[in-house]
Amino acid sequence: MKTWLESEIAEQPDVLHRMIEGERAHIASIASAIREAQPRYVVIVARGTSDNAARYAQYTLGALAGFTVGLAAPSLTTIYHRTPRFDGALVLGISQSGRSIEPARVLEDAKARGAVMTLSITNDAESPLAQLTDHHIPLNAGPERSLAATKTYTAQLMALALLAAELSGESEWDDALRRVPDWMRETLDMNGHTRAAAARYTFMTHCVALARGYNYCTGFELALKLKELTYVVAEAYSSADFHHGPKAIVQPGFPLIAIAPEGEGLRSMSESLQTFRKSGADLTIISNSSDLLRDARLALPIPSGIPEWLTPIIAIMPGQLLALGLSEARGIDVDAPRGLDKVTLTE
């Protein structure tokens, strides 16, 4: 019998196809409204997996639309009651459920503190967060019963990719965006070995996920999935930050998981991995570079030809399967990891 987690990982290509077909025109209208409002910058409020989607937005909205994008500090509102000014900002709330307290509280204050527009991205168009904002992008992912978010995360990334593409004013991305569901299906086929291969990491208590640029978010999301589902102490770093001291923890056999797809960030990641290969690290590599995959202890491939800015939507899938397989090997109930609830109502 399939677990909810397994089923929802497999659903992702269909979920994203549905979003592309059903929400593209709506997102284009929101992009038009954003251009009319002329925000000077973007502030995003999120927690957990949605915070990792926000990291993706920092790169896509920055690279494609030219926005400076910052992450809000919700505790300034909920604990210290000192909501900062948002003069001239687009304030964006991202939440799977739309019922998280902190994004709602910040967005309630945003207009009074100078925001020119508020926008939310959630899986529930009737949620409190969706009702608070000027505009809302629904994920249309269907109920997500697994406690570990999968299809809602990649749907959030797709919503942000579609928005960034529309704001760029360029039509060159249309074909690539439509191909994402097919690339996801290919990735699932290419990683048929991953769940079983994950069993070799039952020894693992600590690991590091390394990435850079667009896939910085993927490193954090993969580390979160490993913590949630396998109880491994997984930490995420930009490869650049990791060289500023933390690399001292690497010794022979230390598990490093690298997300390094083809693109402008590949050279930097390749240089880092050469260093850690010499240190004897146990390397798991998510990539579409045959040269990198050849030297991995565990190779987790993704299709070639994906524009780098879209690879985070694809590259997290082998990581999801790795976490699923390791959880199964350890006898953990992947649909009921200890201490977790589907909706986290921190304030």
Side-chain angles (χ1 to χ4, degrees):
M1 180 178 174
K2 283 189 176 181
T3 61
W4 287 120
L5 180 62
E6 181 181 1
S7 296
E8 289 168 359
I9 289 173
E11 283 178 37
Q12 291 175 107
D14 291 337
V15 169
L16 268 63
H17 175 78
R18 190 162 61 240
M19 166 164 280
I20 294 166
E21 295 303 314
E23 293 298 324
R24 186 68 186 270
H26 176 218
I27 290 172
S29 71
I30 292 173
S32 178
I34 291 171
R35 285 191 291 268
E36 185 176 343
Q38 297 185 323
R40 299 203 307 271
Y41 60 101
V42 180
V43 177
I44 304 178
V45 54
R47 286 292 193 194
T49 289
S50 298
D51 216 12
N52 298 330
R55 290 184 173 95
Y56 177 66
Q58 287 186 292
Y59 284 87
T60 52
L61 292 177
L64 274 69
F67 280 116
T68 296
V69 182
L71 305 184
S75 295
L76 287 174
T77 296
T78 60
I79 295 177
Y80 299 105
H81 308 293
R82 297 288 189 275
T83 301
R85 294 192 304 274
F86 291 123
D87 298 345
L90 164 62
V91 182
L92 168 58
I94 307 177
S95 169
Q96 272 98 27
S97 68
R99 290 184 282 147
S100 296
I101 294 171
E102 290 168 301
R105 289 280 302 278
V106 174
L107 283 160
E108 280 179 332
D109 288 0
K111 278 298 189 68
R113 300 296 290 163
V116 297
M117 182 184 291
T118 56
L119 170 64
S120 56
I121 298 175
T122 80
N123 197 33
D124 183 359
E126 303 302 320
S127 65
L129 189 61
Q131 299 302 309
L132 276 172
T133 53
D134 298 322
H135 299 277
H136 175 251
I137 300 174
L139 301 179
N140 297 320
E144 190 172 57
R145 295 179 174 87
S146 170
L147 289 182
T150 53
K151 61 180 182 177
T152 52
Y153 173 69
T154 51
Q156 286 174 336
L157 298 193
M158 177 52 79
L160 291 162
L162 289 167
L163 181 62
E166 290 292 343
L167 287 169
S168 75
E170 302 290 338
S171 61
E172 63 180 294
W173 302 118
D174 289 354
D175 180 62
L177 286 162
R178 292 187 182 279
R179 291 185 65 188
V180 167
D182 290 333
W183 283 322
M184 297 180 90
R185 293 185 185 96
E186 287 182 56
T187 299
L188 290 173
D189 290 341
M190 296 169 77
N191 284 272
H193 67 293
T194 300
R195 285 172 67 181
R200 74 169 299 272
Y201 289 104
T202 52
F203 74 90
M204 187 165 67
T205 58
H206 296 71
C207 74
V208 165
L210 285 181
R212 193 164 187 188
Y214 289 112
N215 276 284
Y216 187 53
C217 62
T218 312
F220 276 84
E221 179 62 14
L222 175 51
L224 177 59
K225 287 293 160 282
L226 289 169
K227 283 181 273 198
E228 287 177 328
L229 295 170
T230 73
Y231 312 149
V232 168
V233 180
E235 296 298 327
Y237 286 93
S238 157
S239 59
D241 285 334
F242 196 62
H243 281 279
H244 284 262
K247 70 177 182 179
I249 66 175
V250 178
Q251 57 185 323
F254 185 85
L256 279 179
I257 305 171
I259 303 97
E262 295 169 338
E264 293 179 71
L266 179 59
R267 179 179 176 181
S268 173
M269 286 296 296
S270 296
E271 291 171 352
S272 291
L273 292 176
Q274 288 175 11
T275 299
F276 299 126
R277 194 176 291 113
K278 292 176 183 176
S279 301
D282 187 321
L283 290 176
T284 294
I285 300 177
I286 300 172
S287 184
N288 47 11
S289 165
S290 57
D291 290 340
L292 281 192
L293 293 173
R294 191 179 302 118
D295 293 331
R297 183 67 181 268
L298 176 58
L300 304 182
I302 62 173
S304 61
I306 307 170
E308 186 181 1
W309 72 281
L310 291 174
T311 57
I313 307 174
I314 316 296
I316 189 55
M317 297 183 76
Q320 293 169 345
L321 293 169
L322 181 70
L324 169 62
L326 182 53
S327 181
E328 291 171 330
R330 289 182 161 178
I332 297 168
D333 183 350
V334 296
D335 288 333
R338 66 188 181 208
L340 298 185
D341 297 304
K342 185 59 186 172
V343 179
T344 304
L345 299 175
T346 54
E347 185 173 8

